[in-house]
Amino acid sequence: MSLAHLPPAPLIALRNAHLFAPEDRGVAHLLLGGGRVLWIGARWNDLPADFGVETLDLEGRRLIPGLIDGHVHVTGGGGEAGFRTRVPALPLSRYTGAGITTVIGLLGTDDVARSPRELLATIHALREKGLSAFGYSGGYHLPPATLTGSLRGDLVFLEPLIGVGELAISDHRSSQPTLDELLRVASDAHVAGLMTGKAGVVHLHLGDGERGLELVRQALDQSELPARVFQPTHVNRRRALFGEALALARRGVPMDVTAFPVEEGEDAWSAADAFLRWREAGAPMDRLTVSSDAGGCLPCFDADGRVCGMDVGAPGALLETLAELLARGVPLPEALPVFTSNVARALRLAGKGRVAVGGDADLLCLDEAGGVHHLIARGRVHWRGARPVLAGTFETAGAPA
């Protein structure tokens, strides 16, 4: 990752943290350096002053892994109702101020005016600002938008790209892929993953269509591809679709729910409701993740397919969902994996999603209300004492997120 615009990651001592790694480790002290966690222990001995260690006393506050947002429109989304509805890209502090230290960028409905070049450039820009950023090749439609001319080439030769997505199915905005087309895309992703050690997944946008996850069921029944290659998202947008997701998760398919707003009486589950229903159903908890759809347009359509309203996904939806789960009695160690370790495992992000010696120094210290007190990404302090200290190129460091 390019760090051309940032100084080397310093030595940082985190004292008196109540560490959730995500399991509860009790009160601990940590030493960070070079962007990594160097040491975790129960007793602290002061280091020589010549070491130049910056010390942050967390005073017993909760310290958790930085959140991983697996579905982010880093270039901005939208465009379904004309060019005026294109959502602008979010600035750095919107992510870090929401506790996010890793984002997975993608193209959505607009994979024409929004290009793979723009996506890759934005991923590199976020990396230069200190965030961990990766992305998907392609977009909603087939043939896919690529940089090298093929999905397999993109994944093999472009390091930040770890899979394909968000390929749309069961949606009037999709290119209506057939089973054979889906299998070819999934095969390209899987083989590229084998060649590179990347995730090699197909991140599938699920629309409101009645076909739901039928294509994924057929893919499992009629191919040799591993179930983990198919990673559907938005599966909480219809209650019946969520029921299909529960069944496929038991066959090994990871499922992603979106932390979008849900109105009372709407035929959908909120991300928190989905988590609780997943747990109540006894579905595999390690196959569930939560993402925000940050920067993406959240449109509604009338019977003729015209946009009748829209909202924009917000990075803060992840922390809001975590706070709701805690308020509804879910212990923090049980709630955290869907935002951290489960995402890292599904996307094969080495060093991410856990607080461990040798792992990446991506850490979030929560304040008493569950907001961001300190945020450390790749070993650098981005937020200190609930205030931003690192900002994007075109935003002011002291501005609120």
Side-chain angles (χ1 to χ4, degrees):
M1 295 184 183
S2 172
L3 299 177
H5 298 279
L6 292 173
L11 283 172
I12 300 173
L14 299 179
R15 301 287 311 280
N16 304 308
H18 188 168
L19 177 61
F20 294 86
E23 64 276 4
D24 190 346
R25 296 278 299 273
V27 176
H29 312 283
L30 297 85
L31 181 65
L32 318 178
R36 302 279 184 178
V37 178
L38 302 179
W39 174 85
I40 301 173
R43 299 183 62 181
W44 176 263
N45 294 316
D46 288 335
L47 297 172
D50 291 348
F51 281 26
V53 179
E54 177 184 1
T55 299
L56 296 175
D57 190 343
L58 305 192
E59 300 177 329
R61 294 185 180 89
R62 295 164 293 175
L63 183 69
I64 66 174
L67 307 185
I68 304 173
D69 198 337
H71 185 112
V72 180
H73 293 270
V74 295
T75 63
E80 285 98 336
F83 294 124
R84 70 189 183 282
T85 64
R86 283 159 43 94
V87 179
L90 298 176
L92 176 69
S93 66
R94 285 292 302 277
Y95 300 118
T96 56
I100 295 166
T101 55
T102 301
V103 297
I104 313 299
L106 43 73
L107 299 177
T109 309
D110 182 2
D111 46 18
V112 178
R114 305 282 193 190
S115 72
R117 289 179 175 85
E118 183 184 8
L119 175 66
L120 191 59
T122 305
I123 288 169
H124 282 301
L126 290 171
R127 289 180 170 199
E128 290 177 359
K129 297 169 185 176
L131 212 64
S132 292
F134 302 89
Y136 290 126
S137 178
Y140 261 36
H141 305 111
L142 297 178
T146 67
L147 276 162
T148 66
S150 74
L151 293 172
R152 196 181 309 179
D154 278 9
L155 270 60
V156 169
F157 293 115
L158 301 174
E159 177 271 326
L161 302 184
I162 61 173
V164 177
E166 57 173 317
L167 179 63
I169 62 174
S170 298
D171 194 303
H172 65 94
R173 293 165 292 175
S174 81
S175 52
Q176 311 304 319
T178 65
L179 174 61
D180 285 346
E181 287 174 327
L182 175 60
L183 290 177
R184 289 190 187 99
V185 168
S187 174
D188 279 345
H190 176 56
V191 172
L194 294 176
M195 294 173 66
T196 59
K198 295 179 181 179
V201 299
V202 183
H203 189 66
L204 290 167
H205 163 100
L206 266 295
D208 292 326
E210 291 298 324
R211 288 177 293 173
L213 286 160
E214 178 59 30
L215 267 181
V216 179
R217 282 192 293 273
Q218 292 178 16
L220 296 184
D221 292 339
Q222 300 182 38
S223 80
E224 299 75 31
L225 290 166
R228 65 163 299 276
V229 171
F230 304 96
Q231 297 196 1
T233 188
H234 312 322
V235 298
N236 53 321
R237 71 184 311 149
R238 287 194 304 112
R239 297 181 181 185
L241 177 63
F242 186 71
E244 294 182 58
L246 287 170
L248 280 178
R250 294 187 175 97
R251 297 183 63 180
V253 179
M255 294 290 170
D256 185 61
V257 302
T258 307
F260 44 50
V262 174
E263 301 293 333
E264 186 175 353
E266 185 178 349
D267 180 26
W269 297 120
S270 71
D273 282 334
F275 177 101
L276 293 170
R277 289 180 175 276
W278 188 281
R279 187 177 67 168
E280 183 180 328
M285 294 305 300
D286 61 348
R287 293 187 193 136
L288 179 66
T289 59
V290 179
S291 63
S292 74
D293 210 353
C297 183
L298 307 177
C300 64
F301 298 92
D302 64 19
D304 296 320
R306 293 174 298 196
V307 173
C308 55
M310 62 176 59
D311 200 350
V312 177
L318 296 188
L319 270 185
E320 291 171 4
T321 301
L322 176 60
E324 183 177 350
L325 289 173
L326 299 182
R328 294 172 72 171
V330 179
L332 184 56
E334 288 186 30
L336 278 177
V338 298
F339 308 98
T340 58
S341 56
N342 286 3
V343 193
R345 184 186 308 108
L347 300 182
R348 295 186 175 175
L349 301 177
K352 303 293 186 186
R354 299 190 58 81
V355 183
V357 172
D360 291 349
D362 294 335
L363 300 158
L364 168 59
C365 175
L366 298 171
D367 63 21
E368 290 73 12
V372 175
H373 187 73
H374 298 311
L375 190 285
I376 297 171
R378 291 162 60 190
R380 293 168 181 81
V381 178
H382 283 248
W383 285 66
R384 181 186 292 115
R387 298 293 296 173
V389 294
L390 282 180
T393 306
F394 301 104
E395 59 175 339
T396 303

